[in-house]
Amino acid sequence: MADPRDGELDVVGVGNALVDVLTHESDAFLVRHGLVKGTMHLVDEARAKRLYEAMGPGVEVSGGSAANTMVGVASFGGRAHYVGKVSDDQLGDVFRHDLRSTGVGYDTPPAAGGPPTGRCLILVTSDAQRTMNTFLGASVELGPDDVDPALIARGRIVYLEGYLFDPANAQEAFRHAARLAHTAGRKVALTLSDPFCVDRHRDAFVDLVERHVDVLVANEAEICSLYRAPDFDTALQEVRRHCEVAALTRGARGSVIVGGDEVHVIDAHPVDELVDTTGAGDLYAAGFLFGLSRGLDLAAAGRLGSLAAAEVISHIGARPLTPLHRLAEAISK
């Protein structure tokens, strides 16, 4: 695999900078608080406070979908950098220190004043499903001025997180980053993030995919929502007409990757025990994008995605506990 040249990065991620709080809860807890299992709910500061007080003991780490993906890229031995907004507060300091400790570059200036650092309350039920309640906080303050043209030009792939699409200013930051990347001859990748997110911004997402995105990462529910497709196969044929490469995950059924005339069905990597699906899509994206950035073919990149997803669902949390480069070396022998 081709290493980046001096100063070059494998992937630059742009997304919602959040602190993740993970805890185990029952289905009854979800019902009691009016939550739909397996989805992401946007909540205001007051609602986030009430849920936090009702939750049991949790684990707190820097998070956000694209940030988790960048940690995965770094775990493969890649060079990753992250762009996302936190506040100049205690949680912002935690986010900054924690993310940098994983080897991911991060230097977005904090927001002065305004809302506090965002957080995502992740409720994991006994079936390993995760239900997320996100207070976006300072992450909504990210705008085009936070996107450094020199940084974007250094990334082989610029990765945009669909969750960031809720604030209008962030949508413009997306388009700005995409234009900068293409001007520099780089690839633009997008994750759709969540079917509810797609429902809220379908037309804008379709426009982004058709005009600005080279590589699309989505799960089955998200891609069907994007094209209002009755089934996966219909959505698959639709996305092939609009995107250079699409990596579509299907849970235990693995993933399907399409690009030009190529179609690859990638089996899910075996896992001894399914513990927590938090971060499965984020880490699949990490492996896939790392593989693409290093010049692997689509199938090989998909296998790295499957490997990374299997590692992260075998334990609590959205970050790999075993260095992914070590696992990749083991399966390549």
Side-chain angles (χ1 to χ4, degrees):
M1 292 189 284
D3 291 338
R5 295 186 297 271
D6 287 345
E8 196 175 30
L9 300 164
D10 288 293
V11 189
V12 175
V14 183
N16 278 331
L18 305 170
V19 173
D20 286 346
V21 183
L22 295 95
T23 185
H24 281 286
E25 296 294 350
S26 65
D27 287 356
F29 183 95
L30 302 185
V31 172
R32 194 159 57 246
H33 291 276
L35 303 173
V36 179
K37 182 189 289 191
T39 60
M40 191 279 283
H41 307 259
L42 288 176
V43 298
D44 59 21
E45 189 172 2
R47 170 81 158 148
K49 183 179 179 181
R50 288 196 301 272
L51 281 171
Y52 183 79
E53 291 173 347
M55 290 164 57
V59 176
E60 299 184 356
V61 295
S62 63
S65 174
N68 291 335
T69 298
M70 294 308 98
V71 172
V73 171
S75 185
F76 273 111
R79 296 183 186 176
H81 202 100
Y82 180 70
V83 179
K85 203 77 165 177
V86 296
S87 185
D88 190 10
D89 56 16
Q90 183 178 358
L91 276 183
D93 290 341
V94 168
F95 180 93
R96 206 163 19 249
H97 178 270
D98 188 54
L99 186 61
R100 288 172 176 168
S101 73
T102 67
V104 175
Y106 177 66
D107 51 22
T108 308
T117 295
R119 68 287 315 261
C120 182
L121 310 179
I122 304 174
L123 312 173
V124 183
T125 41
S126 59
D127 57 0
Q129 287 292 306
R130 84 279 186 271
T131 303
M132 298 181 290
N133 304 273
T134 303
F135 166 57
L136 294 172
S139 68
V140 303
E141 302 296 314
L142 187 78
D145 290 345
D146 294 303
V147 180
D148 178 8
L151 173 64
I152 297 301
R154 289 169 57 202
R156 289 178 170 179
I157 299 172
V158 175
Y159 181 61
L160 308 176
E161 173 192 320
Y163 282 133
L164 190 62
F165 226 56
D166 282 297
N169 206 33
Q171 290 189 26
E172 185 50 40
F174 263 28
R175 294 186 178 91
H176 182 53
R179 287 191 292 267
L180 291 171
H182 284 149
T183 298
R186 304 304 197 176
K187 295 294 186 183
V188 175
L190 169 73
T191 172
L192 293 180
S193 294
D194 182 87
F196 286 0
C197 188
V198 175
D199 288 343
R200 288 192 296 271
H201 307 289
R202 181 175 290 103
D203 291 343
F205 270 131
V206 169
D207 176 75
L208 195 69
V209 169
E210 292 185 0
R211 298 176 56 196
H212 300 285
V213 171
D214 305 298
V215 180
L216 182 66
V217 181
N219 66 25
E220 185 167 354
E222 293 156 5
I223 198 65
C224 288
S225 174
L226 182 68
Y227 293 114
R228 298 182 185 270
D231 53 57
F232 178 76
D233 289 338
T234 302
L236 180 69
Q237 296 309 315
E238 191 69 26
V239 75
R240 293 182 73 176
R241 300 194 298 111
H242 298 297
C243 215
E244 183 180 324
V245 173
L248 308 175
T249 61
R250 309 189 76 188
R253 288 178 288 179
S255 60
V256 178
I257 301 170
V258 293
D261 294 331
E262 297 182 55
V263 180
H264 302 278
V265 178
I266 310 297
D267 290 337
H269 193 80
V271 58
D272 291 335
E273 182 183 7
L274 174 60
V275 176
D276 172 18
T277 57
T278 306
D282 301 339
L283 269 294
Y284 181 93
F288 185 68
L289 295 175
F290 173 72
L292 287 187
S293 76
R294 295 299 178 97
L296 295 186
D297 61 45
L298 295 181
R303 287 191 290 272
L304 288 184
S306 181
L307 172 72
E311 194 285 336
V312 83
I313 64 176
S314 67
H315 56 78
I316 288 287
R319 301 280 177 81
L321 297 182
T322 302
L324 295 174
H325 67 85
R326 196 177 298 161
L327 297 179
E329 290 166 1
I331 66 169
S332 66
K333 291 178 179 178

